[in-house]
Amino acid sequence: MQNVPEEWREGREVRGGGGEDGRMGEILVKRKVDSEMKGDGEKNGGSGGEVAEKESLMMELTRRVQKIIKESSWWERRGVDCSILAAAFLCLPPAFLLLGSSQLLSFSAGMLLMGVAHAAITVKGTHLASHGALSESQAWGKFWAVFFIEICGSFSAQAGVHGHIKMHHAHTNVIGLGDSSVWKVPFLPRTIYLFIAPLAVPIITPLVALAHLKGHSLALVVRTVLMVTLGLYSQYWLLIHVSGFLSPLSALLCMLVCRAMFSVPYIHVNIFQHIGLHMFSPNNRPKRIYQMTHGVLNLPRNPFLDWIFGHSLINCHVEHHLFPFLSDNMCLKVKPVVSRYLTEKQLPYQEDSYLNRLRFFFHKYQELMVFAPPITELVGVQ
């Protein structure tokens, strides 16, 4: 656990009441830039000298980012990412048709196309939908969250949004709250954990979703079960009636392969960007800008994963945690401003390669994953 220097610590006397954690959660749920600025402004009340300057760092950075947002078109703010998701859906009809081919090359192309489309929809789509980054309308935001997370992703929208927005983003790398990855199976050997067990994610995901429905209203439970069932059965029905699969078992196997195609890098990305970095106690946590810059890491540009998973999960993860309401394309656009600002202020801007992080986890698996503190809350959908 990281010891927090005095100048890093959160102010506890915040005007307006509600506590720092509650206010931060409210900021993240509202996803508004002005809320970010107001939040950091409140911290400055009653402070002076060097501490006041340090407390205004997030507000200053927010102003710079807000300026870029105001100068950006709708296409830059949302259109690019909506188009990528639309392209993923347009890949599905030819994928189903190719899967009906008796030629191995065409069938393999159909599997690959289906796997790529499914990964883009269920990782990039669910992530953007959980943050409300696909629409400025709250009503449409809720609709897209249910559509992408429940129908496409086979998970609970309520649990996903709560775990990812209210826990992981509000309490990034805080032990017991938003401390690391949900994918912790300490009894597994490192090779199985890193390269084989993730293939079971498509099976585990709906089961975990059902487990998180306990204690919720009957209406929410019924909706989630119906939406998850609709998504799974739709793909199965299309494989039988469009692709021409002759047996239920072969259709289910095809579904598993397509859905698990990118589950290994998905799990890797999930753990690489937080675990092994600075961790903080719930009662001794830093201010937001220090928390995010010390507890979040960017991976380098990867054309394939950038398009499938999204910039905010790959090469702009620091930017995403500082400004979680931005779309993938906007995270990429503000990246030079954020990296330059953090460098100017002598704050860390952590980056490392995929292979370096893989070697790091492989050699320090016991320390990072087996003996790590237990997770007490769902961290959420990446």
Side-chain angles (χ1 to χ4, degrees), residues 358-375:
L358 184 58
R359 292 192 199 100
F360 177 71
F361 272 86
F362 191 81
H363 293 299
K364 292 199 170 186
Y365 176 71
Q366 292 288 112
E367 175 186 341
L368 297 173
M369 306 305 293
V370 177
F371 301 125
I375 294 174

Side-chain angles (χ1 to χ4, degrees), residues 35-77:
S35 296
E36 296 260 3
M37 295 179 66
K38 178 182 177 182
D40 274 76
E42 286 176 341
K43 292 180 184 177
N44 295 331
S47 300
E50 184 180 358
V51 174
E53 180 183 355
K54 289 181 181 296
E55 286 182 332
S56 68
L57 289 175
M58 187 64 197
M59 188 169 70
E60 183 182 348
L61 177 58
T62 301
R63 287 196 194 100
R64 298 188 185 188
V65 170
Q66 186 181 36
K67 182 176 183 294
I68 297 174
I69 295 172
K70 288 181 178 179
E71 294 172 351
S72 301
S73 64
W74 176 87
W75 174 255
E76 292 174 304
R77 294 195 310 272

Side-chain angles (χ1 to χ4, degrees), residues 49-160:
E50 184 180 358
V51 174
E53 180 183 355
K54 289 181 181 296
E55 286 182 332
S56 68
L57 289 175
M58 187 64 197
M59 188 169 70
E60 183 182 348
L61 177 58
T62 301
R63 287 196 194 100
R64 298 188 185 188
V65 170
Q66 186 181 36
K67 182 176 183 294
I68 297 174
I69 295 172
K70 288 181 178 179
E71 294 172 351
S72 301
S73 64
W74 176 87
W75 174 255
E76 292 174 304
R77 294 195 310 272
R78 306 187 193 277
V80 172
D81 292 297
C82 289
S83 297
I84 293 172
L85 292 173
F89 281 105
L90 290 175
C91 286
L92 293 177
F96 280 111
L97 294 175
L98 286 169
L99 285 171
S101 174
S102 58
Q103 297 181 355
L104 180 60
L105 186 61
S106 297
F107 181 82
S108 300
M111 290 284 283
L112 179 62
L113 196 59
M114 180 76 71
V116 169
H118 181 268
I121 293 167
T122 59
V123 179
K124 180 183 177 73
T126 57
H127 188 231
L128 291 175
S130 70
H131 284 280
L134 294 175
S135 173
E136 295 181 5
S137 164
Q138 289 189 358
W140 275 107
K142 292 179 180 179
F143 171 82
W144 291 125
V146 172
F147 176 77
F148 279 100
I149 299 174
E150 296 189 354
I151 297 179
C152 302
S154 303
F155 197 69
S156 163
Q158 192 277 339

Side-chain angles (χ1 to χ4, degrees), residues 156-227:
S156 163
Q158 192 277 339
V161 171
H162 171 80
H164 189 67
I165 305 298
K166 296 184 180 180
M167 299 305 300
H168 176 59
H169 273 275
H171 310 289
T172 303
N173 283 37
V174 176
I175 295 173
L177 294 173
D179 48 4
S180 55
S181 169
V182 290
W183 185 252
K184 279 191 175 182
V185 195
F187 59 85
L188 291 179
R190 59 187 178 181
T191 301
I192 294 177
Y193 171 87
L194 288 170
F195 302 107
I196 299 176
L199 300 176
V201 166
I203 299 173
I204 295 171
T205 300
L207 298 179
V208 173
L210 292 176
H212 279 285
L213 291 176
K214 185 178 180 180
H216 290 287
S217 66
L218 179 61
L220 179 65
V221 173
V222 171
R223 187 203 72 191
T224 303
V225 171
L226 288 177
M227 294 300 102

Side-chain angles (χ1 to χ4, degrees), residues 190-315:
R190 59 187 178 181
T191 301
I192 294 177
Y193 171 87
L194 288 170
F195 302 107
I196 299 176
L199 300 176
V201 166
I203 299 173
I204 295 171
T205 300
L207 298 179
V208 173
L210 292 176
H212 279 285
L213 291 176
K214 185 178 180 180
H216 290 287
S217 66
L218 179 61
L220 179 65
V221 173
V222 171
R223 187 203 72 191
T224 303
V225 171
L226 288 177
M227 294 300 102
V228 171
T229 302
L230 175 63
L232 293 170
Y233 184 74
S234 296
Q235 186 179 14
Y236 171 80
W237 188 92
L238 289 168
L239 288 173
I240 296 292
H241 294 88
V242 176
S243 302
F245 279 72
L246 299 178
S247 70
L249 183 60
S250 62
L252 292 173
L253 181 61
C254 179
M255 288 176 62
L256 177 61
V257 172
C258 292
R259 288 169 176 257
M261 194 172 292
F262 292 93
S263 59
V264 171
Y266 166 78
I267 292 300
H268 287 177
V269 169
N270 186 269
I271 63 178
F272 286 176
Q273 294 171 315
H274 295 287
I275 298 178
L277 302 179
H278 292 233
M279 305 291 290
F280 302 98
S281 162
N283 299 319
N284 192 26
R285 60 196 299 166
K287 301 185 184 76
R288 179 181 172 86
I289 194 166
Y290 292 100
Q291 180 182 352
M292 301 309 172
T293 54
H294 285 79
V296 184
L297 176 140
N298 282 347
L299 296 172
R301 290 295 300 269
N302 182 314
F304 202 53
L305 293 182
D306 283 352
W307 278 77
I308 295 177
F309 289 176
H311 298 296
S312 60
L313 293 181
I314 305 297
N315 65 300

